[in-house]
Amino acid sequence: MTAGPRDVSDETWAVLGGRGRQAAGDPLNVGPVLASNFVHGDERYYSREHATETWEAFEALLGGWERGDAVAFSSGMAAVAAVFDLLPVGASVVLPDDCYQRVMHLAEHGGRTGRWMLTRLAVTDTKAWRSAARTADLLWLESPSNPLLAVADVPAICAAPRRAGTLVAVDNTLATPLAQRPLELGADLAVHSATKFIGGHADLLLGVAAARSPALSARLRERRALAGAVPGALETFLALRGARTLPLRLRQATATAQILAERLAAHPEVELTRYPGLPDHPTHAVAAETLGGPGAMISFDVRGGADRADALCRSLRIIHHATSLGGVESTIERRASHHGQEHLPPSLVRLSVGCEQAEDLWGDLADALAATGRRSTSRPG
Ligand SMILES: *Cc1c(COP(=O)(O)O)cnc(C)c1O
């Protein structure tokens, strides 16, 4: 019998997991099953209702990492919405003060329309989160938070005594299952945008929610079928292929991010660098205690305001001026330029560190900081 996720390291599971049946003559890798319907006589008859072998393989790999039952969705937001859809009308929802913007918009919309009551808590106010566990229907955590990279004390919050029926969900997109396993800490759900680090190549949209209890994952599968938020065959195939190298990509990107963050923090044209791996980061200690690594995301405020930050993003030659994160290619953008993100510091740029070489990336950043410097505007050329 093949080894399971608990028998091997996460790195080996990346390669071993999600291979479907491995009987004689079966392919070593599960291919994209492009089918809407199947010949009658099996439980599987229509692929909105029943996972194809491609999704099953992807779900098996992810569920193994997260130590739960994983359910794949057509996007990260589809997975998030499926979790919110589990709530009864009038439920009480608690959200961090910093989190992924569209999750915030979804939660605010439900609050405005009377679907649920919404409370926001500071990521770092562990005491308030722990006491909210006694009354809320859903605690939605995201750690590290996007884009301010604040790290929540997820173990302490998950371990808080809670009312029967209170769900604790952790958006684990930025941490990845390699740095944080919420279900082992006591959360009910670990949710991902697999579009990001898991897929890792900026070529697909995909989401996944892993549940600690099979009853909960069954409810998510029912939501997926009813809403039709099913993953595509090609997307799950590509994400599975991407996930095989997640440990390698993340190790490289994290090592590079640490180097870049230290140099950015020391650079006179950078006002503030937010990276959990820096000793003076407000949640550095919590990060060191709760996460397997500080990750590949850096947010920093450039001196000179929004215009300077925009100019910096445009003048980079290796780092791509594009949204999203977690790909092999480094990407950068000014977050407050997005509608609904005006509360963020205007010159904050979020850098997703990819797999390029550290010195190449630093050279690109240093050149762009110099080229857009305040003195350079008077220089010809
Ligand atoms: C991108 C993202 C999402 C949404 O995922 P999509 O795949 O884009 O729908 C949710 N949470 C976090 C933290 C994200 O970065």
Side-chain angles (χ1 to χ4, degrees), residues 52-336:
T52 67
E53 284 175 21
T54 322
W55 321 350
E56 277 175 356
F58 175 74
E59 290 176 346
L61 176 56
L62 263 291
W65 267 340
E66 287 288 11
R67 306 287 194 260
D69 189 12
V71 185
F73 289 86
S74 50
S75 70
M77 283 310 295
V80 174
V83 172
F84 276 78
D85 279 346
L86 299 174
L87 297 172
V89 172
S92 139
V93 173
V94 186
L95 208 69
D97 57 354
D98 181 46
C99 73
Y100 182 69
Q101 59 160 345
R102 297 304 267 168
V103 173
M104 190 174 85
H105 295 165
L106 176 87
E108 282 173 350
H109 181 264
R112 267 199 315 278
T113 55
R115 177 71 179 76
W116 45 69
M117 287 163 320
L118 181 62
T119 310
R120 308 286 300 267
L121 292 177
V123 173
T124 50
D125 195 348
T126 308
K127 206 166 148 238
W129 281 97
R130 283 179 58 93
S131 78
R134 295 180 189 279
T135 53
D137 292 283
L138 173 66
L139 298 189
W140 184 272
L141 295 162
E142 181 183 313
S143 182
S145 70
N146 182 1
L148 295 180
L149 305 179
V151 179
D153 194 342
V154 175
I157 297 167
C158 288
R162 65 179 93 127
R163 191 174 61 77
T166 298
L167 286 178
V168 178
V170 180
D171 186 332
N172 209 22
T173 302
L174 262 62
T176 84
L178 306 182
Q180 177 164 260
R181 273 209 277 266
L183 305 185
E184 280 195 336
L185 301 172
D188 301 286
L189 291 157
V191 183
H192 288 274
S193 168
T195 309
K196 315 291 170 56
F197 288 99
I198 291 169
H201 294 75
D203 53 6
L204 58 89
L205 286 175
L206 197 67
V208 62
R212 196 145 55 96
S213 94
L216 193 53
S217 54
R219 289 173 69 201
L220 288 172
R221 287 201 165 83
E222 178 68 358
R223 282 308 313 166
R224 174 174 70 182
L226 289 175
V230 293
L234 216 49
E235 281 78 358
T236 35
F237 170 75
L238 287 170
L240 180 59
R241 187 170 156 141
R244 302 238 182 263
T245 56
L246 175 62
L248 303 175
R249 288 185 282 109
L250 191 66
R251 193 191 309 144
Q252 160 89 3
T254 302
T256 306
Q258 181 74 42
I259 295 169
L260 299 181
E262 285 168 11
R263 293 185 190 176
L264 284 166
H267 198 286
E269 294 297 317
V270 175
E271 209 166 288
L272 177 66
T273 304
R274 297 176 188 78
Y275 182 66
L278 293 176
D280 61 353
H281 184 270
T283 58
H284 174 72
V286 189
E289 208 171 292
T290 66
L291 295 174
M297 302 294 301
I298 305 169
S299 289
F300 61 99
D301 299 0
V302 189
R303 284 194 204 284
D307 291 347
R308 168 86 183 281
D310 284 334
L312 175 94
C313 292
R314 281 195 303 265
S315 69
L316 291 158
R317 296 167 60 235
I318 297 172
I319 299 168
H320 299 269
H321 186 199
T323 196
S324 199
L325 56 104
V328 290
E329 54 285 279
S330 297
T331 55
I332 198 166
E333 69 175 342
R334 189 172 70 82
R335 287 301 295 174

